[in-house]
Amino acid sequence: MIQLAGVSRTYVVGGSPVHALKGVDLAIGAGEYVSIMGPSGSGKSTLLHLLGCLDRPNAGSYRFGEAETTTMTEAERCRLRRHQIGFVFQFFHLVPRLTAVGNVELPMIFAGMPPGERTERAWQALEGVGLGARAGHRPDQLSGGEQQRVAIARAVAMRPSLLLADEPTGNLDRTSGSEIVGLMERMNQSGLTLIVVTHDPQVGGRARRRVRLSDGLIVADERHGAGGPSSAASAATV
Amino acid sequence: MRLGDVLRFAGGALRGHRLRTCFSLLGVAIGVASVILLTSLGEGAREYITGEFTSLGSNLLIVVPGKTETAGFAPLVSTAPHDLTEADAEALGRRIAAIRRVAPLVVGTAAARAGERSREVTVVGTTRPLLEIRKLKLASGRFLPADMPEAAVCVLGARVQRELFPGENPLGQVVRIGDWRFRVIGVIAPRGTSIGMDLDEVVEIPVATGLRLFNRTSLFRILAEVGSHEDLASARAAVLEVLRERHGGQDDVTVLTQDSVLAAFDRILMALTAALAGIAAISLGVAGLGIMNLMLVSVTERTREIGLMKAIGATPAQVVGVFLIEAAMVSTAGGVAGLLAGVGAGQLLQQIYVELPFRPPGWAGPAALGVSCAVGLLFGILPARNAARLDPVVALARRKA
Ligand SMILES: Nc1ncnc2c1ncn2[C@@H]1O[C@H](COP(=O)(O)OP(=O)(O)O)[C@@H](O)[C@H]1O
Ligand SMILES: [Mg+2]
């Protein structure tokens, strides 16, 4: 489904180049559950933004399905994001003046979906994350965990094939963080490809496939069976 | 993206900072209201003057000594003309059938005294037909006699009468004008300002007396009233023909019609209205800058929201659209408020100053809405493009704001 070949991304900071990614090769199949871990500044977020077509590599190729994304126009990449990709962020990024259901409706509004269908889908998505009762609440009336669940509902409202999460538990306590990850895992079990960036080994260890980044390069790419050794390890540390 | 959704989304964003939105809206409202008020004044003045001209009668020919090349207002360049005389005026009335009445005019200012009181007056030397031509009404006495062009008699305007003979009957009394003594034979009913001169401030005397009083040989003007409007053009040609013949084959007079004078006034007053509107439009420009500032602040404050919009699939065009509509909503609402305020203030002023002609031109309403909407769109372009150009990665990296 996803194929990165020789992808690099260089920022120019104060005249000197910063190599955030230095030639990354990565293939991810449909329905996979991948965690991307590594120390701060290793290039995890940069990689996720490239995967989500929010950013373009300076060199290399990125194929999404059959399509080469690096030669797409901005409008084509917008369409790809709109229909195929959902994002979950560390800081939720809910629009504060809109209610939960209003936030979930937003991507469908930009897609031009008729109001009736849109509202129905938004309610379904909110019920899917267990927040049907809080649909009329604004973000400041919701806890962090609830806000992140609204964000997940928004990310999947357009029924994308890929869900990208950048430190989704970074702003949450362990209990609600664990609930959030569990929620996304359930969506993965029903076919959604899931990629989670985290520096938390307990979160990252839950994925069947664990990619480790260091200084802009992939240094490890391990596959484990579902409920593999890491879940045992995390159970031990708790 | 549906228009209804864009409007609702933009409206929600504006409600998020009501006070700031209201101030920007107020700026546009003041701009629009001042355009409406000033153009109402200009348009009112135009209609008032047009009305005054029409009340003079549209069948008037005005003969002025001297020749101008352009069909202007009054002759500026004269070619050493022959005198325009009483005999000329008399000949016009006699020889041109279409002309119903003729009044020669000689005009000057002089000090008028009655006993202890004195004042400056405009003296008009003329003949009896002026009464009908200018549709004057007598308050008392009679107008100038038809058969005594050199008599030392005068007819007073209403204010002249009030000031020289307060609470007295002036008929039969003597007024000194310059070094001459005139017997008052009539008083004109008050009428107020009319084109050219304030008739309440005028003293009429017989035309030959007037020429001698001011030591002139040529008339100031001849007014000729034509029987019907259709004959105006042919009568004008006939006037030129008769006077050319009388002036030794020389074309040395200008004949103005009310239409040409009116058209000239109309042009001047339209230019005046446009100038007033232009001045008021400056305040609309300032209001536009206010909107631009509002939107620039809004874009800065909503950086994260814009990043998110892009991440969930909003195209740059949609981002531009959302912010342009937001700007246009503020300015159009300001336009509506300004329109109502301008028309309301105009009507209020009309109540207070009844004589002041206030009339918002017919195009004011649609123009106010169109222009205010355009102001929002125009000044919204820069902030909207800033929003669309935001890099979503940088925008989303922000923790707050
Ligand atoms: N917009 C940017 N401009 C300049 N440098 C950046 C930018 N984004 C990331 N970087 C740099 O790229 C490197 C990788 O950053 P990032 O992908 O955010 O790391 P991580 O998410 O693993 O902490 C860091 O050195 C960071 O300073
Ligand atoms: Mg990061």
Side-chain angles (χ1 to χ4, degrees):
Chain A
M1 174 181 190
I2 282 174
Q3 206 123 32
L4 296 182
V7 164
S8 51
R9 179 71 173 97
T10 306
Y11 297 103
V12 178
V13 179
S16 58
V18 175
H19 301 284
L21 292 177
K22 306 171 178 170
V24 169
D25 301 311
L26 183 65
I28 296 172
E32 275 201 77
Y33 175 15
V34 184
S35 68
I36 298 173
M37 288 181 286
S40 182
S42 57
K44 307 184 294 293
S45 295
T46 305
L47 178 58
L48 200 78
H49 292 143
L50 289 175
L51 290 173
C53 288
L54 280 178
D55 195 10
R56 285 188 207 232
N58 297 95
S61 136
Y62 170 24
R63 296 179 67 83
F64 189 101
E66 295 301 303
E68 175 59 51
T69 65
T70 51
T71 54
M72 282 182 179
T73 64
E74 178 58 29
E76 285 170 325
R77 280 151 17 95
C78 272
R79 221 162 299 134
L80 185 64
R81 286 202 295 271
R82 178 183 296 174
H83 296 287
Q84 302 291 339
I85 302 170
F87 287 96
V88 176
F89 305 96
Q90 179 177 357
F91 300 114
F92 322 137
H93 291 314
L94 298 180
V95 178
R97 63 176 179 278
L98 297 179
T99 59
V101 72
N103 269 286
V104 177
E105 276 187 83
L106 216 46
M108 297 183 277
I109 286 178
F110 286 113
M113 195 181 287
E117 187 186 349
R118 185 172 84 202
T119 313
E120 172 153 356
R121 273 221 217 172
W123 277 92
Q124 274 176 18
L126 276 176
E127 272 155 18
V129 298
L131 278 182
R134 316 294 304 269
H137 289 70
R138 280 200 314 275
D140 58 7
Q141 299 163 324
L142 299 171
S143 74
E146 287 167 337
Q147 289 187 51
Q148 195 62 304
R149 282 197 267 163
V150 174
I152 291 171
R154 179 180 63 192
V156 299
M158 287 292 292
R159 300 184 185 150
S161 56
L162 174 63
L163 181 61
L164 302 174
D166 192 352
E167 308 275 12
T169 61
N171 244 20
L172 300 176
D173 61 70
R174 191 154 294 284
T175 320
S176 45
S178 169
E179 274 170 29
I180 289 298
V181 176
L183 189 59
M184 291 192 294
E185 283 169 351
R186 277 209 301 286
M187 291 171 170
N188 167 251
Q189 274 153 25
S190 53
L192 184 64
T193 311
L194 175 62
I195 303 177
V196 179
V197 161
T198 181
H199 64 267
D200 181 346
Q202 281 194 38
V203 172
R206 292 166 67 153
R208 288 189 296 276
R209 180 175 174 193
R210 298 164 205 159
V211 173
R212 178 161 288 281
L213 272 183
S214 175
D215 204 14
L217 283 171
I218 294 181
V219 292
D221 186 350
E222 305 159 1
R223 290 167 198 265
H224 302 263
S230 65
S231 15
S234 61
T237 47
V238 169
Chain B
M1 201 171 182
R2 288 148 184 273
L3 185 62
D5 290 331
V6 183
L7 291 176
R8 198 163 330 114
F9 187 78
L14 289 173
R15 271 196 299 279
H17 39 84
R18 283 206 181 85
L19 192 63
R20 241 191 290 146
T21 304
C22 283
F23 275 118
S24 299
L25 192 150
L26 191 64
V28 178
I30 289 171
V32 168
S34 56
V35 171
I36 302 265
L37 268 182
L38 288 178
T39 51
S40 297
L41 200 59
E43 186 68 8
R46 197 172 70 84
E47 289 203 359
Y48 172 78
I49 287 176
T50 310
E52 279 293 313
F53 265 105
T54 317
S55 77
L56 286 182
S58 55
N59 300 351
L60 213 54
L61 291 174
I62 304 161
V63 184
V64 182
K67 186 80 197 157
T68 50
E69 294 310 318
T70 53
F73 200 88
L76 295 175
V77 189
S78 308
T79 51
H82 284 74
D83 288 344
L84 197 59
T85 62
E86 294 167 75
D88 286 335
E90 186 266 336
L92 292 181
R94 183 165 38 81
R95 290 177 54 182
I96 302 170
I99 289 179
R100 197 163 57 186
R101 295 187 184 98
V102 177
L105 289 184
V106 55
V107 177
T109 55
R113 249 176 329 111
E116 295 296 293
R117 300 191 177 81
S118 80
R119 59 159 295 162
E120 190 85 353
V121 295
T122 303
V123 179
V124 174
T126 186
T127 55
R128 185 170 184 84
L130 185 75
L131 191 69
E132 283 89 33
I133 291 176
R134 296 299 299 262
K135 302 185 172 61
L136 303 178
K137 298 231 162 27
L138 286 167
S140 62
R142 55 204 169 82
F143 199 61
L144 302 172
D147 47 354
M148 296 192 296
E150 296 187 53
V153 294
C154 70
V155 177
L156 304 182
R159 192 167 317 126
V160 178
Q161 183 267 323
R162 242 188 352 262
E163 290 180 16
L164 293 184
F165 301 99
E168 290 173 50
N169 179 3
L171 294 184
Q173 305 222 40
V174 169
V175 175
R176 290 187 71 92
I177 299 175
D179 296 330
W180 295 39
R181 293 160 54 86
F182 291 84
R183 189 161 302 281
V184 178
I185 57 169
V187 177
I188 307 275
R191 159 161 163 162
T193 309
S194 179
I195 300 307
M197 55 187 80
D198 184 348
L199 290 169
D200 291 352
E201 308 254 351
V202 161
V203 173
E204 277 101 357
I205 59 175
V207 60
T209 315
L211 285 170
R212 273 193 286 139
L213 176 65
F214 294 113
N215 197 20
R216 299 228 182 97
T217 51
S218 178
L219 295 173
F220 174 66
R221 231 143 257 220
I222 299 172
L223 300 182
E225 190 184 277
V226 178
S228 81
H229 195 77
E230 292 82 71
D231 295 335
L232 205 62
S234 61
R236 183 173 181 276
V239 166
L240 287 169
E241 174 64 39
V242 166
L243 292 178
R244 185 186 308 123
E245 185 189 305
R246 291 181 58 84
H247 292 179
Q250 220 179 318
D251 267 323
D252 59 1
V253 299
T254 303
V255 181
L256 304 172
T257 59
Q258 287 287 32
D259 293 350
S260 69
V261 178
L262 184 56
F265 257 116
D266 208 46
R267 271 199 305 281
I268 289 172
L269 288 162
M270 283 215 302
L272 176 74
T273 304
L276 289 175
I279 291 166
I282 292 172
S283 62
L284 259 181
V286 174
L289 291 176
I291 295 230
M292 183 148 86
N293 184 50
L294 172 81
M295 295 309 297
L296 283 173
V297 171
S298 183
V299 167
T300 310
E301 278 187 353
R302 286 153 69 195
T303 300
R304 284 199 321 161
E305 181 184 320
I306 295 161
L308 175 87
M309 281 161 68
K310 293 188 156 187
I312 62 176
T315 61
Q318 285 178 325
V319 175
V320 167
V322 163
F323 281 89
L324 275 188
I325 295 274
E326 213 174 298
M329 276 171 78
V330 178
S331 65
T332 309
V336 172
L339 182 63
L340 295 179
V343 171
Q347 281 177 353
L348 199 69
L349 284 173
Q350 185 75 90
Q351 303 278 308
I352 300 169
Y353 305 99
V354 182
E355 283 140 69
L356 214 59
F358 260 110
R359 188 148 319 158
W363 46 263
L369 298 188
V371 167
S372 59
C373 181
V375 162
L377 291 176
L378 186 69
F379 287 90
I381 287 175
L382 179 75
R385 285 201 356 193
N386 282 359
R389 282 182 184 162
L390 269 182
D391 180 353
V393 171
V394 176
L396 288 166
R398 295 242 224 138
R399 188 190 170 134
K400 289 273 170 245

